[in-house]
Amino acid sequence: MQLHNGKSHVLNCCGFFCAERNMANIYTLRAFLFSQWSSDVRLDGKTVIITGANTGIGKETTRDLAKRGARIIMACRDISKAEAARREITEDSGNQNIIIRKLDLSDTKSIREFAQIINSEEKELHILINNAGIMMCPYTKTADGFEMQIGVNHLGHFLLTFLLIDLLKKSAPSRIIILSSMAHSWGRIKLDDINSEKSYHSRRVYGQSKLANILCVRSLAKRLKDSGVTVYAVHPGIVRTELKRHMNLGLLCLWKVVRPFTKTTVQGAQTSIYCAVEPSLQSESGGYYSDCGPSSCTRAAQDDEMAEKLWELSCQMLGISWN
């Protein structure tokens, strides 16, 4: 099991986990390695969109940015769950300026309707956090016929960003945060079978979607150079969220072993928050971040030629022109 605290630390999971008397040490170590990032930066007067804001990392990111005074737009598929989360966060933060807008990233019609509302109602957009995602689900397709993981995790957010980019440029300096994962190392981009119709392996396809996120950030950063809009890819860590619900029995057993070393949702949200508010990052763009600092990604995630091919394919699939 590999944990990150700026450097890599290799721990013997079984040695810690099997001895009950060492459990207290495990949780103490986890708290040390995954401490909460601290900053007093305020976001008063700033507008933020967070996809998947009603649960997990998105919910905790929403809570933190609300406490900083931001106007938050919770972009969620399940409105009833979003409303419950909004009430909780409003009470906790004292921020009444939190609204909900319906967004289903598995349906381009919903994405376009959401973006139309935002562009007509909002004068500014300073931070877009593409947080929502799906992991290792059974093979299904989106409303537009895309494989679900590449459709939601990459193409849905790609289209959303495209539709909101003019507002982000108008509001510059502004930021785009895209949640990826260390799982990008599991996959490769299959340009000739992007929808996994020839073969489907849920873990590898999830990895492909997370690799696509990083490649998108690299291409987007180049296109946004000197625009005042900066973009960041984030690995939140191994976090205890609802995403594990599609894991098979073998992975669930492994999860039980490594669970003491995983992050809470609050801890998992820290790098997203860092990339959204840290002043020094305003001069940086296109990087990959983990544990509130720059991190390394695979060689495949640094392949600019593949990034351009994926960009072109994504535009073709979505029927858009983004030069």
Side-chain angles (χ1 to χ4, degrees):
M1 179 67 186
Q2 192 176 47
L3 305 177
H4 299 274
N5 182 28
K7 300 178 180 179
S8 294
H9 301 266
V10 179
L11 302 176
N12 186 330
C13 296
C14 293
F16 277 96
F17 185 79
C18 295
E20 186 175 342
R21 56 191 169 85
N22 284 328
M23 289 302 290
N25 292 336
I26 292 175
Y27 287 100
T28 300
L29 179 61
R30 186 187 67 197
F32 172 74
L33 293 176
F34 304 139
S35 58
Q36 191 167 340
W37 183 64
S38 177
S39 168
D40 59 1
V41 172
R42 297 287 302 173
L43 294 177
D44 301 286
K46 304 294 185 182
T47 299
V48 181
I49 292 176
I50 304 174
T51 67
N54 64 294
T55 187
I57 295 170
K59 181 179 177 181
E60 296 307 327
T61 303
T62 301
R63 191 191 310 274
D64 182 281
L65 301 190
K67 289 180 178 179
R68 298 175 188 273
R71 170 177 168 77
I72 307 286
I73 300 171
M74 300 173 65
C76 303
R77 182 172 58 87
D78 190 320
I79 299 299
S80 61
K81 287 185 178 180
E83 182 55 38
R86 189 195 67 80
R87 287 195 300 268
E88 177 188 326
I89 293 169
T90 297
E91 182 177 351
D92 187 28
S93 67
N95 187 341
Q96 301 292 324
N97 203 3
I98 304 173
I99 65 172
I100 298 167
R101 292 286 180 262
K102 184 174 178 59
L103 173 65
D104 183 348
L105 288 161
S106 69
D107 187 344
T108 59
K109 180 181 178 182
S110 174
I111 298 169
R112 291 182 180 278
E113 288 174 349
F114 172 86
Q116 183 177 16
I117 291 171
I118 298 302
N119 284 320
S120 63
E121 293 184 354
E122 302 296 329
K123 295 181 179 179
E124 294 180 308
L125 174 59
H126 303 95
I127 303 171
L128 171 62
I129 303 181
N130 290 332
N131 164 84
I134 188 168
M135 183 176 78
M136 293 189 285
C137 61
Y139 189 83
T140 50
K141 289 189 174 183
T142 69
D144 301 274
F146 308 138
E147 183 280 318
M148 187 63 70
Q149 294 189 86
I150 198 72
V152 170
N153 296 349
H154 168 59
L155 291 170
H157 281 128
F158 189 92
L159 178 60
L160 177 65
T161 304
F162 167 76
L163 295 171
L164 296 178
I165 199 65
D166 288 341
L167 185 58
L168 285 158
K169 287 179 179 179
K170 175 185 172 183
S171 310
S174 54
R175 302 185 183 192
I176 302 167
I177 294 93
I178 300 178
L179 264 71
S180 181
S181 170
M182 65 180 290
H184 75 271
S185 63
W186 300 347
R188 65 185 181 89
I189 304 298
K190 295 184 178 181
L191 295 173
D192 62 343
D193 189 27
I194 199 71
N195 286 315
S196 305
E197 293 173 324
K198 297 177 182 178
S199 64
Y200 183 74
H201 187 290
S202 64
R203 182 173 62 87
R204 292 171 189 163
V205 171
Y206 176 67
Q208 175 183 238
S209 72
K210 296 290 99 179
L211 175 57
N213 290 150
I214 302 176
L215 294 175
C216 177
V217 164
R218 293 180 69 87
S219 292
L220 189 55
K222 291 179 181 179
R223 285 169 169 78
L224 293 175
K225 185 179 179 181
D226 300 325
S227 69
V229 184
T230 48
V231 56
Y232 316 88
V234 166
H235 165 47
I238 303 175
V239 185
R240 299 193 296 276
T241 70
E242 295 178 0
L243 283 178
K244 69 178 187 299
R245 63 184 175 272
H246 293 299
M247 284 183 179
N248 60 34
L249 181 60
L251 287 173
L252 286 173
C253 290
L254 178 60
W255 176 261
K256 289 183 179 180
V257 173
V258 303
R259 190 178 187 280
F261 301 101
T262 60
K263 294 182 179 182
T264 66
T265 51
V266 172
Q267 293 165 336
Q270 297 308 304
T271 306
S272 295
I273 298 164
Y274 170 80
C275 288
V277 305
E278 170 56 38
S280 65
L281 292 187
Q282 193 56 54
S283 60
E284 304 291 333
S285 188
Y288 175 69
Y289 293 81
S290 179
D291 292 320
C292 301
S295 188
S296 59
C297 54
T298 64
R299 290 180 64 182
Q302 302 174 57
D303 186 341
D304 289 330
E305 182 178 353
M306 177 58 78
E308 285 305 302
K309 290 179 179 179
L310 175 64
W311 186 278
E312 293 172 4
L313 178 59
S314 300
C315 289
Q316 178 184 335
M317 294 174 72
L318 292 165
I320 61 176
S321 178
W322 190 353
N323 299 316

